[in-house]
């Protein structure tokens, strides 16, 4: 008999491409919008008004790299 507690989940399995999110076409969350605007202000960039949740996540990743917050 195998003890299920001995098996550790693969942490990479929890990471999913935003384009594959079931809710990716929904509007961004309030937290995403707030953080995205903070990053965009720091980077001197504009944030489009019509981003989806998935697009906002991708833009956050890009701006984190640009501003150095993604380290």
């Amino acid at each position: 008999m195998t003890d299920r507690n001995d098996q550790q989940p693969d942490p990479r399995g929890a990471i999913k491409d935003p384009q594959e999110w079931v809710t990716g076409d929904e509007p961004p969350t309030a937290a995403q919008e707030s953080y995205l605007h903070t990053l965009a202000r720091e980077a001197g960039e504009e944030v489009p008004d019509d981003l989806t949740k998935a697009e906002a996540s991708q833009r956050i990743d890009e701006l984190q790299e640009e501003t150095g917050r993604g380290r």
Side-chain angles (χ1 to χ4, degrees):
M1 186 156 114
T2 304
D3 185 1
R4 289 183 188 219
N5 293 333
D6 289 342
Q7 297 177 359
Q8 296 296 320
D10 184 353
R12 295 170 297 171
I15 299 172
K16 196 173 199 179
D17 185 332
Q19 295 301 325
E20 296 177 9
W21 293 354
V22 174
T23 60
D25 290 334
E26 293 178 4
T29 64
Q32 278 182 308
E33 285 185 342
S34 176
Y35 190 45
L36 183 56
H37 283 279
T38 298
L39 290 169
R41 186 172 49 252
E42 289 179 8
E45 298 197 18
E46 296 290 320
V47 176
D49 291 331
D50 58 348
L51 291 179
T52 65
K53 189 183 289 187
E55 291 168 336
S57 177
Q58 290 175 323
R59 191 67 185 124
I60 287 170
D61 289 344
E62 292 166 359
L63 288 171
Q64 281 181 324
E65 285 295 318
E66 190 174 321
T67 62
R69 283 191 177 223
R71 295 181 189 158

